[in-house]
């Protein structure tokens, strides 16, 4: 989760400080204890804003956990440092601007410049990997997501106090954790609701990772339904019966008007002049109708007559293209039938 | 078809919760015949228009026009729009019907006096 956390923040140098250095330390000096690493990290930190400090403390503690896990044995979280080595060896193509930015950052730091640069690039590669994995839609572990949400949320004390007045949940001073007072599932829901509420009110809607909770309804059940035969008469009758029973008489004038609109007695407002007229044809299909005159003789009174017909049709705004074409085809059929008669003339 | 009953031309039955006055029959047989004529006129309208376009023409040869005359005369009698009579919708009265409301003058007066015609008032000037 550390990679995700750092990805969500702006890619600032300060946030990158601890992890690449911690990773570097871990890889180089395996003998150093995690505690010493942690102290080194904290000691090397520059002047920062308070919340960033907390973020790094958290990350340091997570790194410590990761290091411990690595020491104990390969774990799911231990795969993160392994991922670094793989990426450095893999050499995935990175944005050249990002690379330049990484080198600039590394040069500004007091430590080993080359080492930090390589670590920053490794970090970037890891981020790309995670974003790709997310785009592919890897298995969403909601627990991790929710826990991450609680960690990220930073609510000052008066804000938390005010909110706790509304919803009966208790917050810590820095708003890090919620004390669940109900069962775990309900607490999860309440926490999620809380987090969503907080995000909605105090941040923009687009900040944060997508949870995919409200994905579009899958088409699986629809397919299952369609494999059956089309609705039988009994189904239709049942549906009609249900509709008749549930249709209450309108309680007020608005409901009456709604019913009228559904029945078609009342028009829909704002009035659309083109209701029922779904003519997707372009204007040239309405006006230039000579191409339909190919079945007729080139000269003679019939051609003259049909050209007049076409002239009239091109000026008619009320018919659709299909109707105009049908009109011309009817005349074609009519004159075909009367061909013998016309030959005599 | 021997018995041409009103069942073919029954009005649609509205849901039971509807509180409007609904009549499920035509007021008399003359009204039913008028309804049939209107339906037929609608069906044959296009064909009649096209045959008439051939007939009322100074370009096409006269023989063709005579043939068209015979054709249009052969169409069913109820298909011509001239036979439609604008009867009163409620009483089927053939005369004294105002086109805008499709009501005969007596029904119109009845509703207007009971204030059931929107925007209609007794004239006084």
């Amino acid at each position: 989760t550390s990679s995700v956390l750092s990805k969500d923040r702006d890619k600032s140098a300060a946030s990158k400080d601890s992890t690449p250095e911690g990773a570097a330390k871990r890889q180089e000096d395996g003998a150093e204890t995690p505690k010493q690493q942690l102290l080194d990290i904290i000691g090397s930190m520059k002047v920062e804003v308070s919340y960033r400090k907390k973020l790094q403390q958290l990350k340091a503690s997570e790194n410590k956990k990761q290091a411990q896990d690595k020491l104990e044995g390969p774990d799911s979280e231990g795969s993160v440092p392994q991922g670094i080595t793989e990426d450095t060896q893999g050499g995935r193509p990175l944005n050249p601007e990002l690379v330049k930015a990484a080198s600039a950052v590394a040069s500004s730091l007091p430590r080993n410049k080359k080492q930090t640069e390589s670590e920053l690039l490794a970090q970037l590669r890891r981020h790309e990997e995670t974003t790709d994995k997310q785009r592919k839609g890897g298995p969403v572990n909601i627990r991790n997501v929710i826990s991450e949400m609680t960690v990220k949320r930073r609510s000052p004390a008066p804000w938390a106090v005010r909110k706790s007045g509304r919803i009966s949940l208790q917050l810590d001073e820095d708003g890090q954790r919620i004390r669940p007072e109900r069962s775990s599932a309900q607490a999860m829901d309440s926490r999620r609701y809380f987090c969503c509420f907080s995000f909605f009110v105090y941040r923009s809607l687009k900040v944060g990772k997508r949870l995919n909770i409200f994905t579009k309804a899958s088409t699986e059940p629809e397919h299952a339904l369609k494999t059956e035969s089309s609705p039988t008469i009994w189904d239709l009758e049942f549906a009609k019966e249900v509709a008749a029973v549930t249709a209450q008489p309108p309680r007020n004038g608005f409901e009456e008007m709604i019913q009228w609109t559904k029945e078609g007695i009342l028009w829909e407002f704002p009035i659309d002049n083109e209701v029922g007229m779904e003519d997707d044809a372009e204007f040239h299909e309405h006006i230039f109708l000579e191409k339909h005159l190919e079945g007729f003789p080139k000269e003679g009174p019939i051609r003259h007559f049909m050209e007049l017909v076409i002239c009239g049709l091109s000026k008619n705004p009320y018919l659709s293209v299909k109707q105009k074409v049908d009109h011309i085809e009817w005349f074609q059929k009519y004159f075909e039938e009367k061909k013998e008669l016309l030959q005599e003339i | 078809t021997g018995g041409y009953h009103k069942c073919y031309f029954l009005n649609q039955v509205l849901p039971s919760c509807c509180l409007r006055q609904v009549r499920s029959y035509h007021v008399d047989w003359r009204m039913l015949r008028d309804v049939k004529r209107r339906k037929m006129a609608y069906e044959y309208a296009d064909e009649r228009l096209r045959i008439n376009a051939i007939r009322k023409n100074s370009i096409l040869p006269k023989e063709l026009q005579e043939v068209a005359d015979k054709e249009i005369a052969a169409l069913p009698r109820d298909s011509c729009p001239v036979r439609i009579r604008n009867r009163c919708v409620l009483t089927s009265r053939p005369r004294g019907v105002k086109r805008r409301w499709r009501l005969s003058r007596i029904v119109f007066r009845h509703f207007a006096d009971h204030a059931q015609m929107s925007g209609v008032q007794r004239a006084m000037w």
Side-chain angles (χ1 to χ4, degrees), chain A residues 254-272:
Chain A
F254 290 117
E255 292 196 5
E256 198 182 28
M257 285 204 277
I258 290 168
Q259 202 163 352
W260 286 346
T261 311
K262 280 185 199 163
E263 287 173 24
I265 296 169
L266 206 58
W267 284 343
E268 285 186 20
F269 295 91
I271 291 184
D272 182 17

Side-chain angles (χ1 to χ4, degrees), chain B residues 38-125:
Chain B
R38 283 170 192 261
K39 286 214 167 142
M40 282 211 85
Y42 181 80
E43 284 166 22
Y44 286 90
D46 290 338
E47 225 177 294
R48 279 187 162 256
L49 174 76
R50 287 154 190 170
I51 297 175
N52 269 329
I54 293 173
R55 284 172 66 221
K56 314 283 180 179
N57 214 332
S58 53
I59 306 163
L60 294 175
K62 283 187 186 169
E63 292 81 3
L64 198 60
Q65 285 172 3
E66 281 162 24
V67 168
D69 283 340
K70 285 175 204 159
E71 271 195 19
I72 203 168
L75 288 177
R77 220 166 243 196
D78 273 352
S79 65
C80 60
V82 189
R83 295 189 115 217
I84 295 171
R85 182 80 196 185
N86 291 328
R87 291 178 161 268
C88 170
V89 161
L90 293 181
T91 52
S92 180
R93 197 161 192 273
R95 295 192 174 100
V97 182
K98 287 309 277 178
R99 209 168 206 188
R100 183 174 168 180
W101 295 277
R102 302 179 185 175
L103 292 176
S104 87
R105 54 179 179 83
I106 304 157
V107 179
F108 175 81
R109 240 178 74 98
H110 177 267
F111 283 136
D113 287 341
H114 288 75
Q116 285 163 10
M117 296 294 278
S118 171
V120 175
Q121 196 191 16
R122 275 187 163 260
M124 191 187 337
W125 74 96

Side-chain angles (χ1 to χ4, degrees), chain A residues 215-232:
Chain A
T215 49
K216 279 179 196 167
S218 61
T219 50
E220 280 293 323
E222 288 177 20
H223 287 307
L225 282 171
K226 274 171 190 171
T227 48
E228 299 170 17
S229 59
S230 59
T232 61

Side-chain angles (χ1 to χ4, degrees), chain A residues 11 30 49 65 96 130 312:
Chain A
K11 294 191 180 175
V49 189
K65 258 194 280 174
T130 45

